[in-house]
Amino acid sequence: MKNLKFQEHLNRVLLDFSPDQHLLIVSKTRTLDEIRAYYDIGHRHFGENRVQELLLKSNELKVSCPEIKWHMIGHLQSNKVKDLFKVHHLESIHSVDSIHLLDELIKNEHRLNQAVGIFLQFNTSREEEKSGFETIEELELAITRLKNCQHLYLQGLMTMGALRVDDQMKSAEACFRELAEVKAELDQKWDLDLQLSMGMSQDYKIALAEGANWLRLGTMMFDISGD
Ligand SMILES: *Cc1c(COP(=O)(O)O)cnc(C)c1O
């Protein structure tokens, strides 16, 4: 019964997605049973924003969800990198927000035995409390750093819409459009095909329209009692 509800909801959400757009279900604060409910109906990509919670959940679900793919989406402190790399089935890191953090990841990549995708977080909203790269030049420095890695590879760019603005939707649109422009510029100059990680529950339809490849959806995937 419960799975049917999740299945119907998932199907409805995915109706708007094109083949190169992927749903990342953000399972932070959610229970193992809630994660398993989506896993059991075939969903594989899940995101967490804290290393300890991610590590714990990846351990707990290692046996019952062998095909799960974990994404780290939250701010990452350099001193948590070693723990992050212990996560089973770590697929990618969406929140690489500085050269300093990137260097720490590279320094520790020998601990990995699988490929892990890196998304460089770009601060399109320019809000001070948001972290992230702020110029194309900084992103290019990161791109060159990633060229010689063994396990880490450049997967794409990530951003978040502004929070403290009058018209959040209009602002989200501007942020997502800017990220798409940055992608176009870097793709051309460096011969890349960067993926875009953008869009949360409240603004994901805008992100879909602006060419997002990874939609990070939490609240709307779990608080579904109303529909
Ligand atoms: C929590 C979180 C999300 C999901 O937000 P919802 O509003 O619950 O969909 C997406 N991205 C990041 C970085 C988050 O921390």
Side-chain angles (χ1 to χ4, degrees), residues 144-169:
T144 53
R145 287 278 220 285
L146 280 160
K147 279 205 180 296
N148 298 317
C149 289
Q150 300 294 310
H151 300 290
L152 301 177
Y153 69 96
L154 179 59
Q155 189 171 358
L157 304 173
M158 181 274 224
T159 201
M160 286 191 261
L163 294 172
R164 288 177 286 91
V165 287
D166 293 335
D167 189 340
Q168 279 197 7
M169 293 307 130

Side-chain angles (χ1 to χ4, degrees), residues 66-103:
E67 291 175 23
I68 202 164
K69 296 173 197 307
W70 289 109
H71 298 245
M72 173 64 187
I73 63 167
H75 178 64
L76 176 60
Q77 287 168 281
S78 297
N79 61 5
K80 299 277 172 63
V81 167
K82 286 179 187 143
D83 279 343
L84 179 65
F85 283 177
K86 291 178 194 156
V87 170
H88 302 280
H89 307 299
L90 179 65
E91 176 88 357
S92 56
I93 308 168
H94 292 239
S95 43
V96 178
D97 55 11
S98 70
I99 286 289
H100 173 72
L101 173 60
L102 181 63
D103 284 342

Side-chain angles (χ1 to χ4, degrees), residues 26 28 30 49 73-75 95 158 160 199-202 216-221:
V26 176
K28 66 186 182 205
R30 304 293 168 171
N49 70 336
I73 63 167
H75 178 64
S95 43
M158 181 274 224
M160 286 191 261
M200 304 166 43
S201 291
Q202 60 174 11
R216 308 182 310 270
L217 308 184
T219 314
M220 62 169 281
M221 297 310 297

